[in-house]
Amino acid sequence: MSTGLDLNGMRSQGKDVRQANITAAIALANIVKTSLGPQGLDKMLVDDIGDVTITNDGATMLRQLEVEHPAARVLVELSQLQDQEVGDGTTSVVIVAAELLKRALEMIKNRIHPSHIISGYKTACKQAVAYIQDHLSRSTESLGDAGLNSIARTSMSSKLISGESKLFSELVVRAIKSVKTLNGKYPIKSVHMIKSHGQSTLESEYFHGYALRMSRVSQAMPTKIDNAKIACLDFNLSKFRLAMGIQVLVNDPKNLENIRKREQDILKERLELVINAGATVIFTTKAMDDIASKYLVEKGIMGLRRVEKSDLKRIARATGATVVTTLANNDGSESFDESNLGKAETVYEENLGDVDYIFVKNPKSTTNAVCTLVLRGANEFLLDEVERSIHDSLCVLKRTLESGHIVAGGGAVETSLYVHLSKLAQKSGSKDQNAIAEFAEALLVIPKQLCLNAAKDATDLTSKLIALHNVKQNDPANPKYQGVEFTGLDLLEGKVRNNLDSGVLEPMVSKVKSLKFATEAAIAILRIDDMIKIAQPKEDMPQRHC
């Protein structure tokens, strides 16, 4: 049909564009689907230059894939958002969003207008979130360390380190508790991780302080300084040189030697200012030449050069030091105040594997605690995956401690919501009824996929879960059914159990956010009924003139 408007591109409308968008979203979800749950499988991703990534993390997988389809890219961004907001649940949020879209497509084929579907999905999501908060969540106040360990273990259960989850959950809980700030926050950036090849992952350990992958400037410097006073400098400790563009005219050649000597003396004077203030360890982000290191060796001081600025700032915060960018005063003189120094119990150098590390032990700052997790492992792939897994667990614990509520895992929440929303749909007299019922059905994709990945009978186990949750919701006041709302899957034994008592716990915020994000992404894709792809401009080929 001619429109009189030249679009200079390709246009698809209505049914075709919805079909294409939803098919792309389902194809993306099928990639990550098999990695869900404690029995989920890993993926090996090889990029264009041959770098290999072996991972089970949904966000990492989708980040590595070069997704071109615009609708599928919405799901990739969705998983990244879940990763930033919560840190875990990146696989399930994509699976739920794709299932919502799949069911929406079936409803559209049955002549239900997208506006009714969107309205129904919004209502169902709102009711689901309210039900989680009112009936399925529990406070974390009574949990203690054992409960936090259970939350960390649940997060790690689907990862490569699930076999060593006892050790790593203890490390992660200890780390997150040690960095608590005065205002009750748990900054994950304060937990530093270093990866060192060699030994087994069971040799990984917690270190109260900060560790750097570097060695002393000179091997003649002391390897250990007790009661260290640390200077954090952000300028050169090399022989003084005049700035570019400045010329010095020398009439007498004998003065050349005096100039060289004065250049060295300026460096020594600067070092003396720092040392006289009481510094026993000097960190600098810039260079430190042989003259400076020789002088520091004579004074028995440890010097470290070319420290990353981010590391220097963290060390300064942890030890109570101030990062000094210049020694100059307003009157043109130079000085270094003792108050700029930070304090730590010990600073020492130690060899891990084949690499030297500098450890700043027990920094004395009371407001900015910092700790380091030293990760050991056989190779780079393993260490990278361990780091990702620990980061996810730290995020989960942070969200749990800050939000103060948890829910039972293993499909318990999704099944309970299915029963609740199905009853809600039956009572609803509006046109949204079908959409609410389909939203409820879509949530069952999580327990079903968990069963499939664990090679269990999905139909049998899901039916048992639904029956138990249905009994509880029909007679909620009956003491005989107390705790039945926390019934979820036990994928090792292939049966159902009370996951709250069994320690399969997740932060409530993870479930709430994943439901909201999945619904919003599905609605965003459903709203699209017209796609115009602008044609690439044609490049004129150079003409050959005769």
Side-chain angles (χ1 to χ4, degrees):
M1 189 177 113
S2 176
T3 60
L5 177 70
D6 183 17
L7 289 172
N8 188 29
M10 211 169 73
R11 182 179 184 182
S12 49
Q13 290 176 279
K15 187 173 70 175
D16 292 340
V17 71
R18 280 204 188 93
Q19 177 87 46
N21 286 345
I22 293 170
T23 304
I26 293 168
L28 197 69
N30 286 339
I31 294 170
V32 297
K33 199 179 269 187
T34 54
S35 67
L36 182 71
Q39 308 292 321
L41 303 173
D42 289 358
K43 308 286 181 196
M44 179 185 279
L45 306 164
V46 186
D47 66 11
D48 50 358
I49 58 169
D51 281 351
V52 177
T53 306
I54 301 169
T55 185
N56 185 282
D57 183 51
T60 307
M61 275 185 250
L62 296 177
R63 195 185 301 120
Q64 298 275 20
L65 296 174
E66 290 182 8
V67 179
E68 288 187 3
H69 196 284
R73 215 177 291 150
V74 171
L75 289 196
V76 175
E77 288 165 7
L78 169 70
S79 75
Q80 306 301 337
L81 183 64
Q82 177 77 4
D83 196 37
Q84 288 165 18
E85 289 285 319
V86 184
D88 201 19
T90 51
T91 307
S92 57
V93 74
V94 171
I95 294 170
V96 170
E99 189 68 18
L100 288 172
L101 287 168
K102 183 179 171 185
R103 291 181 179 276
L105 185 63
E106 292 301 318
M107 285 188 276
I108 290 167
K109 285 179 181 175
N110 291 333
R111 305 296 181 106
I112 297 173
H113 196 275
S115 296
H116 293 313
I117 298 170
I118 289 167
S119 175
Y121 277 6
K122 280 181 177 176
T123 305
C125 180
K126 191 177 176 183
Q127 293 291 334
V129 169
Y131 191 76
I132 290 172
Q133 291 169 342
D134 296 341
H135 298 93
L136 301 179
S137 67
R138 285 290 177 270
S139 174
T140 56
E141 287 174 6
S142 58
L143 280 180
D145 280 3
L148 292 175
N149 282 340
S150 297
I151 294 164
R153 273 202 300 275
T154 305
S155 169
M156 293 172 188
S157 63
S158 62
K159 311 291 187 191
L160 197 69
I161 57 173
S162 57
E164 292 91 36
S165 61
K166 186 176 184 298
L167 166 76
F168 282 110
S169 63
E170 288 169 1
L171 288 179
V172 168
V173 169
R174 192 176 170 193
I176 200 75
K177 286 180 79 177
S178 70
V179 298
K180 184 180 179 182
T181 61
L182 296 175
N183 59 0
K185 297 292 182 185
Y186 296 84
I188 288 172
K189 287 183 178 178
S190 296
V191 181
H192 182 50
M193 282 184 267
I194 57 170
K195 299 175 286 186
S196 178
H197 291 186
Q199 298 188 320
S200 87
T201 48
L202 291 169
E203 304 292 328
S204 301
E205 59 185 8
Y206 167 90
F207 174 74
H208 185 67
Y210 201 81
L212 291 163
R213 184 172 174 166
M214 58 169 47
S215 59
R216 298 156 294 151
V217 176
S218 167
Q219 293 302 304
M221 288 176 178
T223 55
K224 184 177 181 181
I225 303 278
D226 291 321
N227 296 319
K229 290 187 177 180
I230 300 166
C232 297
L233 310 179
D234 188 18
F235 55 83
N236 255 320
L237 288 178
S238 301
K239 194 170 75 167
F240 180 80
R241 286 185 178 84
L242 292 170
M244 291 286 287
I246 295 177
Q247 291 183 332
V248 178
L249 194 63
V250 182
N251 296 321
D252 188 354
K254 291 175 185 176
N255 289 333
L256 278 173
E257 190 58 39
N258 292 334
I259 290 170
R260 291 194 190 98
K261 189 171 183 301
R262 181 62 193 142
E263 285 175 347
Q264 293 180 16
D265 287 345
I266 290 171
L267 172 61
K268 283 185 180 178
E269 284 165 14
R270 286 180 175 175
L271 287 169
E272 273 175 3
L273 287 172
V274 178
I275 294 164
N276 290 340
T280 54
V281 179
I282 297 175
F283 289 95
T284 179
T285 56
K286 305 282 173 58
M288 188 185 287
D289 65 9
D290 293 343
I291 298 164
S293 67
K294 180 175 178 290
Y295 189 67
L296 293 179
V297 167
E298 289 169 2
K299 298 285 184 179
I301 288 166
M302 187 189 288
L304 298 117
R305 63 186 167 196
R306 306 206 188 282
V307 180
E308 290 286 337
K309 265 196 181 173
S310 56
D311 287 331
L312 191 77
K313 285 176 182 174
R314 284 184 190 173
I315 291 167
R317 278 201 301 269
T319 58
T322 305
V323 177
V324 179
T325 53
T326 178
L327 296 175
N329 297 324
N330 293 335
D331 59 0
S333 63
E334 292 187 338
S335 66
F336 185 87
D337 196 59
E338 191 181 348
S339 61
N340 293 328
L341 296 175
K343 292 176 183 174
E345 186 185 302
T346 313
V347 177
Y348 61 93
E349 183 184 294
E350 191 177 309
N351 186 275
L352 291 179
D354 298 328
V355 184
D356 290 329
Y357 289 85
I358 295 291
F359 291 89
V360 182
K361 187 178 180 183
N362 292 339
K364 297 295 169 73
S365 174
T366 53
T367 53
N368 293 293
V370 69
C371 71
T372 300
L373 293 176
V374 182
L375 307 179
R376 307 305 302 269
N379 55 48
E380 198 67 38
F381 308 130
L382 177 67
L383 284 169
D384 286 345
E385 184 62 6
V386 170
E387 185 184 24
R388 280 192 290 269
S389 305
I390 285 181
H391 179 265
D392 283 0
S393 294
L394 286 168
C395 289
V396 166
L397 285 173
K398 171 189 165 72
R399 292 296 175 196
T400 303
L401 289 164
E402 288 180 2
S403 67
H405 287 86
I406 45 121
V407 293
V413 172
E414 288 81 5
T415 313
S416 193
L417 289 177
Y418 163 75
V419 174
H420 173 67
L421 293 174
S422 297
K423 289 178 179 176
L424 189 75
Q426 288 166 12
K427 293 173 188 172
S428 173
S430 67
K431 292 181 179 178
D432 304 341
Q433 184 183 32
N434 283 336
I436 295 170
E438 290 295 337
F439 187 99
E441 287 279 350
L443 294 177
L444 283 182
V445 73
I446 296 295
K448 283 177 181 174
Q449 193 62 45
L450 286 170
C451 294
L452 289 171
N453 289 350
K456 306 296 180 196
D457 188 339
T459 310
D460 178 46
L461 288 173
T462 313
S463 302
K464 286 178 182 175
L465 277 180
I466 292 168
L468 285 166
H469 283 279
N470 202 25
V471 166
K472 170 66 181 176
Q473 290 185 28
N474 284 338
D475 190 4
N478 194 331
K480 192 167 84 171
Y481 302 133
Q482 189 178 359
V484 172
E485 68 267 31
F486 305 118
T487 304
L489 298 166
D490 177 1
L491 296 171
L492 294 173
E493 300 292 330
K495 60 182 184 182
V496 296
R497 66 178 179 190
N498 185 326
N499 275 344
L500 191 73
D501 295 342
S502 302
V504 181
L505 308 171
E506 298 179 52
M508 183 189 77
V509 70
S510 172
K511 289 291 179 197
V512 170
K513 294 266 189 192
S514 66
L515 268 179
K516 285 182 176 176
F517 291 159
T519 309
E520 284 166 12
I523 288 171
I525 292 171
L526 274 178
R527 281 184 187 279
I528 301 164
D529 76 331
D530 202 336
M531 186 167 78
I532 302 164
K533 199 170 185 180
I534 306 299
Q536 293 290 329
K538 291 180 181 177
E539 291 184 14
D540 293 332
M541 295 295 289
Q543 297 294 319
R544 192 169 165 186
H545 298 286
C546 297

